[in-house]
Amino acid sequence: MDVSKMTVSINKAINTQEVAVKEKHARTCILGTHHEKGAQTFWSVVNRLPLSSNAVLCWKFCHVFHKLLRDGHPNVLKDSLRYKNELSDMSRMWGHLSEGYGQLCSIYLKLLRTKMEYHTKNPRFPGNLQMSDRQLDEAGESDVNNFFQLTVEMFDYLECELNLFQTVFNSLDMSRSVSVTTAGQCRLAPLIQVILDCSHLYDYTVKLLFKLHSCLPADTLQGHRDRFMEQFTKLKDLFYRSSNLQYFKRLIQIPQLPENPPNFLRASALSEHISPVVVIPAEASSPDSEPVLEKDDLMDMDASQQNSYDSKFDDIFGSSSSSDPFNFNSQNGVNKDEKDHLIDQLYREISGLKAQLENMKTESHRAMLQLKGRISELEAELAEQQHLRQQAADDSEFQRAELDELKKKREDTEKAQRSLTEIERKAQANEQRYSKLKEKYSELVQNHADLLRKNAEVTKQVSVARQAQADLEREKKELEDSFQRVSDQAQRKTQEQTEVLESLKQELATSKQELQIVQGSLESSAQSEAKWTAQIAELEKERGGLVEAMASREEELSTLRQQLEYTQIKLSSTEESVGRLAKDQRKMLLAESRRAAEQVVQEALRRFEEPALFSCAGSADHLLSKVRSVSSCIEQLEKCWSQYLACPEDISGLLHSVTLLAHLTSDTIVHGSTTCLRAPPEPADSLTEACKQYGRETLTYLSFLEEEGIVENADSTAMRSCLTRITAIGEELLPRGLDIKQEELGDLVDKEMAATSAAIETATARIEEMLSKSRAGDTGVKLEVNERILGSCTSLMQAIKVLIVASKELQREIVESGRGTASPKEFYAKNSRWTEGLISASKAVGWGATVMVDAADLVVQGRGKFEELMVCSHEIAASTAQLVAASKVKADKDSPNLAQLQQASRGVNQATAAVVASTISGKSQIEDTDSMDFSSMTLTQIKRQEMDSQVRVLELENELQKERQKLGELRKKHYELAGVAEGWEEGTEASPPTLQEAITEKE
């Protein structure tokens, strides 16, 4: 594709007219990126557009750039990363406008920056976000941590999309038909890309959340579910409102989300999820693709139709050569009235035929549109059915995998059940509790890799085991109570029977007395002998029944005693089985925790051998804090180990201490490696060896924690010795700082600023003196060059004066606003890092001014080099930029003094550029006057001079390479010495910028 054609299409697509971007221009831009395999032409054209001054132009740029990121060549993202900071600055600038396209442009630019960052961090995702389920699983690399982080990034991505969606709708007046106006379509057109992105992000978020809920506890993902619910509600409402707009109905088929959100707590709900599919009809992909008949075309069509009717009329009735086309007197004998009547009739028939023809055209056009719409609907249904079929296939595969996994779990369960058959026969009543313990044990074995991040869950499982043991103890107590009740009942029954026996004995004695009385009465009454004999027999019978009842009670008591003995034996067997199972479980947990801890330490040692994994340098004080934490953790671990040996049931504290020791050891090793990056070679080697030795001693110590019988070998003396070495080395690497008392910092700031001002005044006076001497002793080109150079140096000094005054005003404002009731000296002492940065920057400005004046003096005298003057000007500009950075680090961004300081900084930059330009110009003029004359040299002499020149060029190139290497080493050493002397720390708020950072700030 021709570059000029692509340039024209970009300018047509991104213009100031408030109309939607035409699809054909955007399509040309997309094809251009594929043709040139990048976006160089696009950015070269866009950089010339006034995006910061016209909001409509910026809005249409965002729309086209969004299309290129989605459908353009993959290298579009790589070519656009260098402009990411410019997009951020433009977003902040447009964010100050609260009306019109200002807020829209600001939010759209934030969305584009978020999209670039997301695809840079996740290169597996294409620009249009279209991925299969297998590719989505590969993006997470089968790691639950990656899936967790990926879900958070998708939430942030979708939040930016919804924010733009909502802002566009809020900016429109929905009480009118805004979607049919050009202004409304200009705002709504980019939402097509947003809808495409949102549909994919919603689908991937649902699938990732189901995957996370299958691996992590529901409480851990509560925040994810809350954020998803909020975004689900917004997206559903926005999709519904968009589908009712006339503008979208012919351009895109927007899917509707389900009435209720997915239930992530139910794994089977994943099969009910339907991925939203957005369909863009091919005929309706471009609003400007429909043919439009212009007025002239309609007039031409009417004229042609009229000519056709006239020709048919002439064929029927003939033509006339007279001026009257309806003069039929010369052709037939029909009178004039009949002719008029016939003509009117023919005109009416023609009108009727025209009306019928128009009706037929209208009907055919309507039918054609209906057929096109039906085709689009059928295509959408076909796409949806294909997607459902694919999803059903994926679900079937997923269910098949789940079935295989369930079969494997069932086999493992059957094996475990066979191994517990004897225990189940002895404790049928506790079968359910044993099954729960066995399931918890299986989960612990399968999820041992997550044990380090699930200490709370392990504690919970241990508490469940304790609860089961407490339940067993409670049942034991219930059985003992039951035995006691049975014993009491037997005793009561025995006592009752004894009482009955006593009563029977008393009755028997009474009966004997009565018998004696009867016998006595027999003597007196022989008639009643038979009656009393019958009574005696009945009493004997009752006595025999009571004896039998007593024997039966004794048999029941013996049976209850046997049942009690059997229950006690069964209970003791159950307690022994539960004790063995709990002991094995505790040993398994301790072994898994120890192995996981060893893996963490080994991974840290492996990373220690790969310095490329560490992208930043660490600080010695941070390393010392980690060493102190490890020492405390070792003491806690030894205490927990002793408690575990005394009470094996209490294992939670030991597991926590082992896990904490592994992580703290890993952090100590990693921070030791990062600290070595900024340490001198000899201490760095010592620290490296000490960290490695500490890691090895930690692994040795952990290996002794597996068995109770070798506890005497678990000695932490070697570990503590390594930590002592690391502490000693770290203390040597601590920055010494400035040898200045805190209370003297405030006076020193004022002194340095005053000294800098004095140095600038002195430099200005010297320049004026040199200019006067040059005017008195030089003439011609040399005088002109000296005046121009010294004049630009004078302008630079004046600009630096303005900058120093603005810096003082800003510092005074910062001190007054931040010190509160404290004095300025106390404020400077409290913010010592920031104060030291100001002192360093002030010294650099004064020193740079003095050096530049010396260089200018030598150049004017003819004994210096123009390059020295240019380097000095760059150095003083960098020093002033360092002073600006140190001054505004604590300033309010809306402060007028800060604006004055930034304006003064721009003045210094312009003056520096003027010094460099005048120096280059003067050097050119001097070199032009010293042109070489070769007219008197012979061929041999010229050849000799040529060889000498080539030798000199090679020598200079070699010297240039060496000087560049030397310059790099000097800058590096300067930064290290400055950091050690002034106590700069990584991430410190007021750390002075480096020379390169200062030059970047200047530019």
Side-chain angles (χ1 to χ4, degrees):
M1 179 180 293
D2 190 5
V3 176
S4 60
K5 182 178 179 181
M6 184 176 177
T7 303
V8 172
S9 298
I10 294 173
N11 289 323
K12 287 184 178 180
I14 306 175
N15 53 43
T16 58
Q17 297 179 3
E18 195 175 1
V19 295
V21 176
K22 291 189 177 181
E23 185 67 22
K24 59 182 180 180
H25 300 322
R27 187 164 50 248
T28 303
C29 297
I30 294 172
L31 294 176
T33 61
H34 287 280
H35 182 265
E36 69 175 5
K37 295 181 174 56
Q40 295 87 354
T41 303
F42 173 77
W43 282 109
S44 64
V45 176
V46 168
N47 287 333
R48 295 193 295 268
L49 298 176
L51 300 180
S52 300
S53 59
N54 192 299
V56 176
L57 191 71
C58 182
W59 176 255
K60 299 179 78 171
F61 154 74
C62 294
H63 185 188
V64 176
F65 184 41
H66 197 171
K67 279 180 168 288
L68 293 183
L69 289 176
R70 280 186 53 84
D71 303 325
H73 194 272
N75 288 337
V76 171
L77 177 62
K78 298 179 181 178
D79 296 338
S80 304
L81 289 176
R82 69 186 69 174
Y83 303 100
K84 187 169 65 174
N85 293 332
E86 297 180 8
L87 296 179
S88 300
D89 296 338
M90 196 183 304
S91 174
R92 286 193 294 270
M93 187 272 293
W94 283 117
H96 294 296
L97 298 180
S98 58
E99 297 180 356
Y101 282 88
Q103 287 293 327
L104 296 179
C105 292
S106 176
I107 295 175
Y108 208 164
L109 289 168
K110 289 180 182 177
L111 169 60
L112 295 176
R113 179 183 173 92
T114 303
K115 185 176 181 68
M116 293 168 65
E117 292 176 348
Y118 178 83
H119 290 286
T120 303
K121 191 172 183 180
N122 302 283
R124 294 178 183 267
F125 284 80
N128 57 10
L129 294 173
Q130 292 182 359
M131 296 180 68
S132 63
D133 292 344
R134 182 179 60 81
Q135 292 173 333
L136 183 62
D137 292 337
E138 293 176 353
E141 299 178 353
S142 301
D143 189 352
V144 68
N145 293 320
N146 294 340
F147 285 122
F148 190 93
Q149 182 63 25
L150 187 61
T151 307
V152 174
E153 294 172 0
M154 282 191 179
F155 279 144
D156 297 337
Y157 193 173
L158 185 58
E159 188 70 28
C160 293
E161 301 275 3
L162 295 176
N163 192 12
L164 177 61
F165 215 141
Q166 187 66 46
T167 306
V168 171
F169 271 67
N170 293 338
S171 66
L172 298 175
D173 185 5
M174 289 304 177
S175 62
R176 306 186 317 178
S177 300
V178 293
S179 64
V180 298
T181 63
T182 57
Q185 292 177 359
C186 182
R187 300 191 182 193
L188 292 173
L191 295 186
I192 295 178
Q193 310 301 318
V194 175
I195 292 172
L196 292 171
D197 287 346
C198 290
S199 62
H200 291 297
L201 291 174
Y202 167 77
D203 183 32
Y204 300 155
T205 303
V206 172
K207 293 177 180 177
L208 289 179
L209 283 177
F210 273 111
K211 186 178 295 293
L212 288 175
H213 277 79
S214 66
C215 301
L216 297 176
D219 296 340
T220 306
L221 300 172
Q222 182 62 42
H224 280 50
R225 292 197 299 274
D226 296 340
R227 194 171 183 185
F228 174 81
M229 286 296 300
E230 179 182 357
Q231 293 186 353
F232 173 81
T233 305
K234 291 182 181 179
L235 186 60
K236 179 180 178 182
D237 178 64
L238 293 173
F239 272 10
Y240 176 75
R241 295 171 64 185
S242 302
S243 61
N244 293 329
L245 292 179
Q246 187 65 30
Y247 176 70
F248 288 127
K249 288 184 177 180
R250 63 191 185 94
L251 295 179
I252 186 173
Q253 183 176 349
I254 303 174
Q256 297 299 322
L257 299 185
E259 185 66 25
N260 297 318
N263 184 7
F264 299 110
L265 302 179
R266 184 168 56 90
S268 60
L270 178 60
S271 60
E272 303 172 1
H273 170 66
I274 300 177
S275 301
V277 179
V278 180
V279 180
I280 300 179
E283 294 82 355
S285 61
S286 175
D288 55 330
S289 61
E290 296 182 359
V292 180
L293 296 177
E294 301 293 342
K295 181 177 180 181
D296 296 339
D297 298 335
L298 295 175
M299 294 175 62
D300 294 340
M301 184 180 69
D302 293 339
S304 62
Q305 290 179 353
Q306 184 64 39
N307 293 334
S308 175
Y309 293 142
D310 292 343
S311 62
K312 290 182 180 180
F313 185 84
D314 291 340
D315 292 340
I316 296 175
F317 297 100
S319 60
S320 176
S321 60
S322 62
S323 61
D324 186 5
F326 300 104
N327 185 10
F328 300 101
N329 292 330
S330 60
Q331 299 181 12
N332 49 44
V334 183
N335 56 27
K336 186 174 181 179
D337 294 337
E338 293 177 353
K339 293 178 182 179
D340 294 339
H341 179 70
L342 183 58
I343 290 171
D344 293 339
Q345 183 179 357
L346 290 174
Y347 270 121
R348 286 194 297 273
E349 291 179 357
I350 291 171
S351 299
L353 292 173
K354 286 183 178 180
Q356 293 179 2
L357 181 61
E358 291 297 329
N359 292 333
M360 292 177 63
K361 288 182 177 179
T362 304
E363 292 295 332
S364 63
H365 183 66
R366 184 183 299 109
M368 181 179 65
L369 293 179
Q370 291 178 352
L371 290 176
K372 288 182 178 180
R374 182 56 180 166
I375 291 172
S376 300
E377 293 177 358
L378 292 175
E379 289 178 348
E381 292 178 359
L382 178 60
E384 185 175 0
Q385 292 297 328
Q386 291 177 349
H387 180 268
L388 291 176
R389 183 182 64 184
Q390 182 64 30
Q391 185 177 7
D394 295 340
D395 293 342
S396 177
E397 186 67 25
F398 178 73
Q399 291 176 357
R400 189 178 296 108
E402 281 190 345
L403 181 60
D404 295 339
E405 185 177 357
L406 290 175
K407 288 181 179 179
K408 186 180 298 183
K409 289 183 178 179
R410 187 181 64 183
E411 293 175 358
D412 296 339
T413 304
E414 291 176 354
K415 291 179 181 179
Q417 287 178 350
R418 284 194 298 271
S419 64
L420 295 175
T421 302
E422 184 177 356
I423 298 176
E424 290 177 353
R425 285 200 305 268
K426 295 179 180 179
Q428 289 295 331
N430 298 323
E431 181 180 1
Q432 184 176 1
R433 293 186 180 86
Y434 292 152
S435 299
K436 290 182 180 180
L437 289 174
K438 182 178 60 182
E439 291 175 1
K440 293 296 182 182
Y441 171 75
S442 300
E443 291 178 3
L444 288 174
V445 174
Q446 294 173 359
N447 300 328
H448 67 88
D450 297 332
L451 187 59
L452 299 177
R453 296 180 297 274
K454 299 180 179 178
N455 286 326
E457 184 177 354
V458 171
T459 305
K460 181 179 179 181
Q461 293 173 354
V462 172
S463 65
V464 171
R466 290 179 178 175
Q467 184 64 32
Q469 186 174 1
D471 293 341
L472 290 175
E473 292 178 355
R474 186 169 56 253
E475 288 188 356
K476 176 183 176 181
K477 187 175 180 181
E478 291 177 356
L479 290 174
E480 291 177 352
D481 295 341
S482 177
F483 172 72
Q484 186 66 29
R485 288 195 300 271
V486 170
S487 300
D488 295 341
Q489 184 177 4
Q491 291 178 358
R492 287 196 301 271
K493 289 183 178 180
T494 303
Q495 186 176 0
E496 290 176 358
Q497 291 174 357
T498 303
E499 293 175 355
V500 171
L501 183 59
E502 291 294 334
S503 63
L504 290 176
K505 289 181 179 179
Q506 293 176 1
E507 290 179 0
L508 181 59
T510 305
S511 299
K512 287 181 179 181
Q513 293 176 1
E514 291 177 354
L515 180 59
Q516 292 175 359
I517 296 172
V518 170
Q519 287 177 353
S521 64
L522 283 176
E523 295 175 358
S524 61
S525 179
Q527 293 87 3
S528 59
E529 181 178 1
K531 178 180 178 181
W532 291 114
T533 302
Q535 288 182 356
I536 293 171
E538 186 177 353
L539 290 174
E540 290 289 343
K541 184 177 179 181
E542 289 181 359
R543 178 176 176 277
L546 291 174
V547 172
E548 291 177 358
M550 181 178 176
S552 176
R553 295 297 183 185
E554 289 179 352
E555 291 179 357
E556 290 180 0
L557 180 59
S558 177
T559 303
L560 289 175
R561 287 177 177 173
Q562 292 177 357
Q563 291 180 355
L564 179 59
E565 292 177 356
Y566 175 75
T567 304
Q568 289 178 341
I569 295 172
K570 180 179 177 182
L571 180 60
S572 61
S573 176
T574 302
E575 289 178 350
E576 183 179 358
S577 301
V578 172
R580 288 198 303 270
L581 182 61
K583 183 177 180 181
D584 293 338
Q585 183 180 5
R586 288 193 296 271
K587 289 184 178 180
M588 183 69 68
L589 289 175
L590 180 58
E592 293 296 334
S593 299
R594 184 186 58 80
R595 284 195 290 269
E598 290 177 349
Q599 292 177 0
V600 172
V601 177
Q602 291 171 355
E603 177 65 17
L605 291 174
R606 185 189 65 78
R607 294 179 62 191
F608 197 89
E609 300 295 337
E610 300 178 6
L613 296 177
F614 305 104
S615 59
C616 61
S619 60
D621 58 347
H622 199 178
L623 176 62
L624 292 176
S625 66
K626 290 296 179 181
V627 171
R628 289 191 292 269
S629 300
V630 173
S631 301
S632 301
C633 183
I634 292 175
E635 295 178 358
Q636 183 66 24
L637 176 59
E638 292 178 343
K639 181 179 178 181
C640 292
W641 179 253
S642 301
Q643 293 177 355
Y644 170 69
L645 294 179
C647 181
E649 290 78 10
D650 187 9
I651 195 175
S652 59
L654 180 60
L655 295 178
H656 175 73
S657 299
V658 171
T659 304
L660 182 60
L661 176 63
H663 283 286
L664 291 177
T665 300
S666 176
D667 292 344
T668 303
I669 294 174
V670 171
H671 282 88
S673 178
T674 57
T675 305
C676 292
L677 296 179
R678 66 161 48 177
E682 185 174 352
D685 294 339
S686 301
L687 182 59
T688 300
E689 183 60 30
C691 290
K692 291 181 180 178
Q693 183 64 26
Y694 170 63
R696 291 191 290 268
E697 294 296 340
T698 303
L699 293 176
T700 303
Y701 181 79
L702 290 174
S703 64
F704 290 132
L705 296 181
E706 185 172 7
E707 297 294 339
E708 298 88 348
I710 57 175
V711 64
E712 60 274 5
N713 296 328
D715 188 5
S716 62
T717 305
M719 296 171 58
R720 297 180 186 274
S721 177
C722 293
L723 291 176
T724 303
R725 286 184 57 198
I726 296 174
T727 302
I729 299 173
E731 290 176 350
E732 292 179 0
L733 296 177
L734 286 175
R736 302 306 176 206
L738 295 173
D739 296 331
I740 300 172
K741 296 181 179 179
Q742 297 290 335
E743 58 269 13
E744 297 177 1
L745 285 176
D747 296 336
L748 188 58
V749 171
D750 297 335
K751 291 179 181 179
E752 289 298 335
M753 295 299 291
T756 302
S757 301
I760 298 300
E761 293 292 342
T762 303
T764 304
R766 287 187 60 188
I767 292 173
E768 293 294 337
E769 182 181 355
M770 286 187 289
L771 182 59
S772 301
K773 290 182 179 181
S774 178
R775 288 173 179 172
D778 298 329
T779 58
V781 176
K782 187 174 182 181
L783 177 60
E784 181 183 354
V785 171
N786 291 343
E787 286 182 345
R788 187 160 55 246
I789 292 176
L790 294 176
S792 61
C793 290
T794 303
S795 301
L796 177 58
M797 293 302 164
Q798 296 296 331
I800 294 175
K801 286 183 182 179
V802 175
L803 178 68
I804 292 175
V805 173
S807 178
K808 288 181 179 179
E809 294 295 331
L810 182 58
Q811 292 172 22
R812 186 178 298 109
E813 178 186 333
I814 293 172
V815 173
E816 291 297 329
S817 62
R819 68 186 180 91
T821 59
S823 63
K825 291 184 180 181
E826 293 175 348
F827 177 81
Y828 283 123
K830 181 180 179 182
N831 300 272
S832 58
R833 294 298 187 197
W834 177 67
T835 306
E836 291 169 2
L838 289 178
I839 294 172
S840 175
S842 300
K843 288 181 178 180
V845 173
W847 175 82
T850 303
V851 173
M852 193 186 78
V853 172
D854 294 338
D857 190 8
L858 293 176
V859 169
V860 171
Q861 295 177 10
R863 295 184 290 109
K865 298 181 180 180
F866 290 95
E867 290 80 6
E868 292 181 358
L869 186 58
M870 287 188 286
V871 170
C872 290
S873 61
H874 281 300
E875 187 67 25
I876 196 171
S879 300
T880 54
Q882 182 180 351
L883 178 61
V884 172
S887 299
K888 72 178 184 180
V889 69
K890 285 185 174 292
D892 186 4
K893 63 178 181 178
D894 298 327
S895 172
N897 290 326
L898 177 60
Q900 292 179 3
L901 179 63
Q902 293 172 341
Q903 181 65 30
S905 176
R906 287 191 287 270
V908 172
N909 295 338
Q910 295 174 359
T912 303
V915 171
V916 175
S918 62
T919 304
I920 294 174
S921 176
K923 181 181 178 182
S924 300
Q925 285 184 288
I926 297 298
E927 291 176 350
D928 291 341
T929 59
D930 296 337
S931 60
M932 292 178 290
D933 186 10
F934 305 108
S935 59
S936 60
M937 297 177 65
T938 64
L939 177 62
T940 303
Q941 292 174 341
I942 291 176
K943 185 64 176 178
R944 182 63 181 176
Q945 291 289 336
E946 180 182 357
M947 293 177 64
D948 293 341
S949 298
Q950 291 178 354
V951 171
R952 182 59 178 164
V953 166
L954 293 176
E955 291 176 352
L956 291 175
E957 288 179 349
N958 189 20
E959 292 178 2
L960 176 62
Q961 182 66 24
K962 291 181 179 179
E963 288 298 326
R964 283 179 175 171
Q965 293 178 356
K966 182 179 179 182
L967 176 62
E969 293 296 329
L970 287 173
R971 286 180 175 174
K972 181 178 179 182
K973 192 62 178 178
H974 171 263
Y975 183 82
E976 291 178 354
L977 293 177
V980 172
E982 300 184 9
W984 299 349
E985 295 292 339
E986 180 182 4
T988 302
E989 181 182 15
S991 297
T994 62
L995 175 61
Q996 185 62 34
E997 293 172 346
I999 294 175
T1000 305
E1001 177 70 19
K1002 174 181 73 64
E1003 292 175 352

